[in-house]
């Protein structure tokens, strides 16, 4: 039997992507994807707008099937065990729901066909509310929270859905610098202390190299995949870090 | 007052109308919360036009109206969702297409057969006399089905409405639940349409949800409050309709508007203090 966490025990990567490409209505958006994610990794997917970052997230979530190649989950990872922090939608901005209701809805996938939440589901929700330090927001209305508070609530919901893998799509978009730093630190803690694998899409390359263990750089094809140390000394990395500061900073 | 109520309920047709009306109001309010939050408000309106068209066809063919209206409206709901999910025609345009199309077909069929008579008039603006005993039985049964399904899938519906992508990613069959909302809405609309009127029924879906959203901050309280507002509005509306001999549908909608204005006022006063 494999242990749940820690790559030492597993005989297969958490996610293996082989020669995958994605297309919308016949137009290939991104191709030549070859990378693996091991348990406990912190992978940052970076690239300019339109380089295929969000498409990969959809592929990993199985919301979109690859046109060629494959994405295989290993290490006993089931699709319902992926936590996801999506970009906010218009619908959510004025949604009348308490923070608690939102966090608890992270347990939906685990419920299957069963209609009501169990005591265990509620306990998991409470645990994540405490972990993300949003106890005072518990009964507040989601739409009245600040951007940073909303992200914490959504992060708690994502943690309710997973013990293994968290996918984050531009988690700091629209947040002020201070809240951004806090959120990055929180994500780092989740990775280090809970042993949860992180895959994050970002266009802030400087923060990416600061926190991530691995980098996947996209330019509609795979420009770089490997350890962060190797990335910062690679050709792609150096040029993106130097001119990419404009890309990273201006976008915020 | 009590005497007036007792007198009112001594009429069998009023009792039938109140039973069906309360159940339909309850279903409409519950589904309305989902539809409004999912930005599907226009689907309710579109489906009521489809319902009108099918009722006209049923009258022309001289068959029980519900037996043709319900399947046809459910089918229209399915098509509307399918179209708005995949195709290049955007959702709102698709609704306009299907609803006006169905309306046109209905009017054509009517003009070839009976002509614009009282029946047709009562479909458009509603009639309290429309409910027969067999309608009541069917309406009660269907309303119970709608309520049970809604309660059973309440948590799933919340997840799907709040964040469809997240729900899908964690393995919830979102299309199924969208379908469920649309089908239940279609049934509710057809049931309520003949009493409230095809042109007015969608307000029964929208108003209670929007009213309770003025004040309530949680999904659960919004849902419960919408249900209470809807039931109260219907009851007051039907009493007004009986007392002053006004059309039932329009009376109920007017009470709903008053409730909306009241909640809106309370909220803006609350904000100021």
């Amino acid at each position: 039997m494999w242990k749940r966490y820690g790559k030492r025990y597993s005989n297969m990567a958490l996610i293996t992507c082989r020669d995958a490409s994605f297309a919308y209505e016949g137009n290939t958006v991104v191709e030549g994807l070859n990378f693996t994610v091991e348990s406990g990794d912190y992978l940052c997917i970076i690239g300019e707008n339109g380089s295929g970052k969000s498409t990969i997230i959809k592929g990993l979530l199985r919301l979109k099937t690859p046109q060629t190649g494959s994405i295989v989950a290993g290490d006993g990872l089931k699709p319902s065990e992926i936590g996801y922090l999506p970009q906010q939608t218009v619908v959510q901005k004025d949604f009348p729901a308490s923070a608690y209701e939102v966090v608890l809805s992270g347990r939906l996938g685990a419920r299957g066909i069963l209609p009501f939440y169990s005591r265990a589901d509620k306990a998991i929700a409470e645990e994540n509310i405490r972990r993300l330090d949003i106890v005072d927001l518990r009964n507040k209305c989601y739409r009245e929270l600040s951007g940073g508070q909303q992200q914490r609530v959504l992060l708690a919901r994502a943690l309710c859905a997973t013990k293994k893998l968290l996918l984050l799509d531009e988690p700091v978009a629209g947040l002020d610098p201070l809240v951004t730093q806090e959120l990055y630190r929180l994500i780092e803690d989740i990775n280090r202390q809970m042993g949860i694998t992180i895959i994050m899409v970002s266009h802030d390359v400087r923060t990416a190299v600061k926190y991530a263990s691995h980098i996947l750089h996209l330019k509609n094809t795979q420009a770089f995949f490997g350890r962060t140390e190797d990335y910062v000394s690679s050709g792609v990395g150096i040029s993106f870090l130097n001119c990419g500061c404009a890309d990273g900073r201006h976008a915020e | 007052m009590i005497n007036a109520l007792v007198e009112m309920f001594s009429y069998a047709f009023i009792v039938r109308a109140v039973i069906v009306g309360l159940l339909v109001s309850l279903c409409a309010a519950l589904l309305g919360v989902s539809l409004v939050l999912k930005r599907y408000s226009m689907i309710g309106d579109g489906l009521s036009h489809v319902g009108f068209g099918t009722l006209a066809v049923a009258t022309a063919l001289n068959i029980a109206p519900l037996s043709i209206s319900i399947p046809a409206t459910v089918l229209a709901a399915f098509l509307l969702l399918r179209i708005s999910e995949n195709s290049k025609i955007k959702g709102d345009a698709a609704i306009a297409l299907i609803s006006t199309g169905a309306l046109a077909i209905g009017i054509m069929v009517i003009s070839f057969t009976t002509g614009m008579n009282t029946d047709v008039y009562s479909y458009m603006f509603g009639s309290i006399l429309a409910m027969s005993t067999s309608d009541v039985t069917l309406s009660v049964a269907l309303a119970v089905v709608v309520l049970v399904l809604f309660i059973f899938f309440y948590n799933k519906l919340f997840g799907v409405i709040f964040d469809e992508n997240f729900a899908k990613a964690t393995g919830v069959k979102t299309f199924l639940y969208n379908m469920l909302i649309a089908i239940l809405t279609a049934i509710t609309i057809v049931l309520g349409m003949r009493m409230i009127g095809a042109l007015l029924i969608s307000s029964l879906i929208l108003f209670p949800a929007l009213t309770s959203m003025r004040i309530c901050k949680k999904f659960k309280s919004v849902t419960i409050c919408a249900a209470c507002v809807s039931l109260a509005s219907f009851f007051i509306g039907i009493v007004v309709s009986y007392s002053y001999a006004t059309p039932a549908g329009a009376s109920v909608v007017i009470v709903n508007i008053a409730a909306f204005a009241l909640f809106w006022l309370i909220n803006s006063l609350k904000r100021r203090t």
Side-chain angles (χ1 to χ4, degrees), chain A residues 56-86:
Chain A
I56 291 198
I57 289 281
K58 287 201 181 116
L60 292 170
L61 289 169
R62 298 177 191 278
L63 300 178
K64 189 160 178 55
T65 39
Q67 196 186 29
T68 60
S70 65
I71 296 183
V72 183
D75 209 356
L77 181 72
K78 291 184 210 128
S80 64
E81 290 177 329
I82 300 178
Y84 176 39
L85 185 74

Side-chain angles (χ1 to χ4, degrees), chain B:
Chain B
M1 179 69 195
I2 303 281
N3 283 340
L5 281 181
V6 170
E7 186 200 318
M8 180 179 151
F9 283 106
S10 62
Y11 295 105
F13 76 93
I14 298 248
V15 174
R16 286 201 294 271
V18 169
I19 292 172
V20 175
L22 286 175
L23 283 169
V24 167
S25 304
L26 188 58
C27 296
L30 295 179
L31 293 168
V33 174
S34 311
L35 292 173
V36 168
L37 287 173
K38 237 181 143 14
R39 306 290 192 271
Y40 276 176
S41 306
M42 287 310 291
I43 285 190
D45 199 50
L47 289 180
S48 64
H49 289 84
V50 174
F52 173 79
T54 56
L55 276 187
V57 173
T59 317
L61 298 175
N62 207 8
I63 39 181
L66 290 186
S67 64
I68 191 164
S69 275
I70 288 178
T73 316
V74 166
L75 183 71
F78 178 75
L79 282 177
L80 280 177
L81 271 196
R82 258 262 119 89
I83 290 173
S84 56
E85 295 225 331
N86 312 331
S87 120
K88 283 172 188 157
I89 305 177
K90 286 283 167 260
D92 56 341
I95 292 167
L97 276 183
I98 291 191
S99 69
T100 50
L103 201 57
I105 292 171
I107 293 169
M108 277 308 246
V109 171
I110 288 166
S111 73
F112 274 124
T113 53
T114 56
M116 285 290 199
N117 58 14
T118 3
D119 268 0
V120 179
Y121 179 83
S122 77
Y123 287 158
M124 287 173 91
F125 301 107
S127 162
I128 199 165
L129 301 170
M131 295 291 137
S132 70
T133 324
S134 65
D135 284 342
V136 175
T137 323
L138 185 62
S139 301
V140 171
L142 283 176
V144 169
V145 170
V146 171
L147 288 177
V148 168
L149 284 176
F150 184 87
I151 293 167
F152 200 77
F153 291 115
Y154 166 83
N155 287 320
K156 296 277 194 297
L157 290 177
F158 171 81
V160 172
I161 299 161
F162 181 73
D163 193 338
E164 188 158 342
N165 274 334
F166 179 86
K168 212 190 272 180
T170 49
V172 177
K173 306 255 181 304
T174 53
F175 185 75
L176 222 64
Y177 293 104
N178 284 336
M179 258 340 289
L180 184 71
I181 295 175
I183 288 173
L184 297 183
T185 307
I187 294 174
T188 307
I189 282 174
V190 174
L191 289 181
M193 195 170 69
R194 287 177 310 150
M195 191 182 342
I196 307 296
L199 298 180
L200 294 172
I201 182 71
S202 57
S203 65
L204 225 59
I205 290 179
L206 305 185
F207 269 112
L210 289 170
T211 302
S212 69
M213 273 176 221
R214 293 312 99 203
I215 290 189
C216 299
K217 312 252 180 243
K218 293 182 185 178
F219 188 70
K220 199 179 245 167
S221 53
V222 166
T223 309
I224 293 170
C225 177
C228 296
V229 167
S230 186
L231 289 173
S233 299
F234 178 81
F235 193 77
I236 297 171
I238 208 94
V239 172
V240 167
S241 157
Y242 174 77
S243 314
Y244 299 97
T246 50
S251 311
V252 172
V253 175
I254 298 273
V255 176
N256 265 305
I257 293 173
F260 179 79
L262 181 71
F263 274 56
W264 178 78
L265 197 69
I266 293 173
N267 185 40
S268 47
L269 286 178
K270 240 205 230 157
R271 259 193 209 162
R272 218 169 280 168
T273 52

Side-chain angles (χ1 to χ4, degrees), chain A residues 1-17:
Chain A
M1 281 299 288
W2 307 334
K3 288 278 183 204
R4 261 193 153 165
Y5 314 118
K7 53 191 122 179
R8 267 177 299 162
Y9 302 102
S10 63
N11 61 1
M12 197 180 163
L14 200 59
I15 284 176
T16 311
C17 188

Side-chain angles (χ1 to χ4, degrees), chain A residues 19-188:
Chain A
D19 297 318
S21 71
F22 288 95
Y24 286 102
E25 287 166 9
N27 300 319
T28 304
V29 185
V30 58
E31 59 189 340
L33 297 172
N34 277 295
F35 62 91
T36 54
V37 181
E38 304 276 350
S39 288
D41 282 358
Y42 186 148
L43 172 69
C44 243
I45 303 176
I46 55 180
E48 321 241 340
N49 287 338
S51 58
K53 293 176 301 205
S54 295
T55 310
I56 291 198
I57 289 281
K58 287 201 181 116
L60 292 170
L61 289 169
R62 298 177 191 278
L63 300 178
K64 189 160 178 55
T65 39
Q67 196 186 29
T68 60
S70 65
I71 296 183
V72 183
D75 209 356
L77 181 72
K78 291 184 210 128
S80 64
E81 290 177 329
I82 300 178
Y84 176 39
L85 185 74
Q87 295 191 37
Q88 295 235 20
T89 61
V90 194
V91 172
Q92 289 165 8
K93 292 250 153 85
D94 61 343
F95 202 96
S98 67
Y100 177 71
E101 286 177 312
V102 174
V103 174
L104 190 57
S105 74
R107 295 299 302 159
L108 271 183
R111 289 276 77 204
I113 189 70
L114 298 171
F116 305 111
Y117 296 115
S118 68
R119 204 168 290 165
D121 291 328
K122 288 176 184 160
I124 291 172
E126 295 292 350
E127 188 189 331
N128 285 312
I129 284 174
R130 274 197 301 278
R131 183 172 284 136
L132 292 189
D133 201 15
I134 48 174
V135 179
D136 341 336
L137 310 178
R138 202 175 171 284
N139 290 316
K140 291 235 170 94
C141 182
Y142 178 79
R143 67 183 161 191
E144 285 164 5
L145 303 179
S146 70
Q149 291 172 329
Q150 289 184 339
Q151 286 302 72
R152 275 177 185 253
V153 171
L154 293 185
L155 199 52
R157 175 184 67 163
L159 286 178
C160 282
T162 190
K163 282 189 175 129
K164 293 179 182 167
L165 175 62
L166 205 52
L167 287 178
L168 306 111
D169 195 353
E170 308 258 9
V172 300
L175 300 182
D176 65 54
L178 202 67
V179 179
T180 299
Q181 285 314 310
E182 263 178 48
L183 199 65
Y184 275 130
R185 236 167 273 140
L186 204 56
I187 295 166
E188 191 185 26

